[in-house]
Amino acid sequence: MERVPILKIGDILLVSIQVDMSDQTAVQLQEDLAERIVATGCHGVIIDITALDIVDSFVGRMLSTIASISKVLDAETVVVGMRPAVAITLVELGLSLNGIRTALNVERGMELIAAHTDEREFAFDDEPDTETTASS
Amino acid sequence: MERVPILKIGDILLVSIQVDMSDQTAVQLQEDLAERIVATGCHGVIIDITALDIVDSFVGRMLSTIASISKVLDAETVVVGMRPAVAITLVELGLSLNGIRTALNVERGMELIAAHTDEREFAFDDEPDTETTASS
């Protein structure tokens, strides 16, 4: 069974998806990622899909699940490197990546996560009740 | 044909090898990487091999070639994420990764490249002739 590696860079976990995801690989990735988020205390997950020619409903759902799990574990998920053709197909298929933030490349994804972390810290400092509103 | 994605993070290009390398994929990666180094002016290349169970002579040679190409283009190559079993096999097979620096993980690889860049800049500032000695 293939296992997708998870790289830690500063406060961020980086996953580059290159292989076709089977059910088992997807579940394994979700488990590994959840464990790594808890072990490292990272606040951001970047998933790079540059290598993917197609994002079908299975992969779309997997990305949504990862984003949801990360959110519960207090980490923000950003999907980066989506090809133009993939974006077009997603829209044509009517798949909306619910709860997933996207960015053009890894660097912009990192900026997005950094901005979100700052924003949240600011919200906590200022008034804890506004946190949910600020991140929605 | 599979294409290995190259991610740019700051002054570093990150390549995560997850698929079995064919001749064609290896050549393609070398070309892509050379182009990206020139296009971005990056001074470091990090190759992550966490996903590899085996590094045979073919992959070893590919890594050496990438390191040599990068060197000519003024970029340092660091291989990270080697599994203990892979290291043992490499030594048993008598394969020495010539001209390749290694580090335990991406973060340490980044530190190594940063240190090397500083060192080189210092050498340039101080006395240009010592540069070759300092980096060898």
Side-chain angles (χ1 to χ4, degrees):
Chain A
M1 190 186 59
E2 306 258 11
R3 211 165 169 150
V4 181
I6 299 168
L7 308 174
K8 181 174 176 293
I9 300 171
D11 191 34
I12 284 169
L13 296 176
L14 176 66
V15 180
S16 172
I17 296 180
Q18 295 173 29
V19 293
D20 288 331
M21 301 301 286
S22 66
D23 267 350
Q24 228 182 350
T25 320
V27 170
Q28 185 72 53
L29 175 60
Q30 286 162 14
E31 282 176 12
D32 288 350
L33 206 48
E35 268 170 33
R36 283 296 292 275
I37 292 173
V38 173
T40 59
C42 284
H43 285 300
V45 175
I46 293 182
I47 302 177
D48 169 67
I49 57 168
T50 319
L52 297 189
D53 287 323
I54 297 167
V55 171
D56 55 13
S57 59
F58 175 72
V59 174
R61 210 164 48 235
M62 183 195 73
L63 294 175
S64 292
T65 309
I66 288 178
S68 304
I69 295 173
S70 305
K71 189 124 208 145
V72 178
L73 295 171
D74 195 22
E76 186 78 0
T77 305
V78 180
V79 171
V80 305
M82 190 183 292
R83 297 192 189 178
V86 170
I88 293 168
T89 316
L90 272 181
V91 173
E92 280 176 355
L93 288 174
L95 294 173
S96 58
L97 298 176
N98 276 328
I100 298 178
R101 286 179 178 221
T102 51
L104 270 187
N105 53 42
V106 177
E107 285 180 326
R108 298 219 182 161
M110 284 177 155
E111 285 166 16
L112 200 62
I113 288 173
H116 181 260
T117 311
D118 291 349
E119 185 185 87
R120 195 182 45 183
E121 272 166 13
F122 180 75
F124 271 128
D125 286 349
D126 206 36
E127 195 180 343
D129 294 350
T130 62
E131 197 262 333
T132 326
T133 325
S135 67
S136 68
Chain B
M1 192 186 56
E2 306 257 10
R3 210 165 171 149
V4 181
I6 300 168
L7 307 175
K8 180 175 177 291
I9 300 172
D11 191 34
I12 285 168
L13 295 177
L14 176 66
V15 180
S16 174
I17 295 180
Q18 295 173 29
V19 294
D20 288 331
M21 300 302 285
S22 67
D23 267 351
Q24 228 182 350
T25 320
V27 171
Q28 184 72 54
L29 175 59
Q30 287 162 14
E31 282 176 12
D32 288 351
L33 206 48
E35 268 170 33
R36 282 297 292 274
I37 292 172
V38 173
T40 59
C42 283
H43 285 299
V45 174
I46 293 182
I47 302 177
D48 169 67
I49 58 168
T50 319
L52 297 188
D53 288 323
I54 298 166
V55 171
D56 54 12
S57 59
F58 174 71
V59 173
R61 211 165 47 236
M62 183 194 74
L63 294 175
S64 292
T65 310
I66 287 178
S68 305
I69 295 173
S70 305
K71 189 123 207 144
V72 179
L73 295 173
D74 194 23
E76 187 78 359
T77 304
V78 181
V79 171
V80 305
M82 191 183 292
R83 298 192 190 178
V86 170
I88 293 167
T89 317
L90 271 180
V91 172
E92 280 175 357
L93 288 175
L95 293 174
S96 59
L97 299 177
N98 277 327
I100 298 178
R101 287 180 175 219
T102 51
L104 271 188
N105 53 42
V106 176
E107 284 180 326
R108 298 218 182 161
M110 285 178 155
E111 285 165 16
L112 201 62
I113 288 173
H116 181 260
T117 311
D118 291 349
E119 185 185 87
R120 195 183 43 183
E121 272 167 12
F122 180 76
F124 272 128
D125 287 348
D126 206 35
E127 194 181 342
D129 294 350
T130 61
E131 197 262 331
T132 325
T133 325
S135 68
S136 70

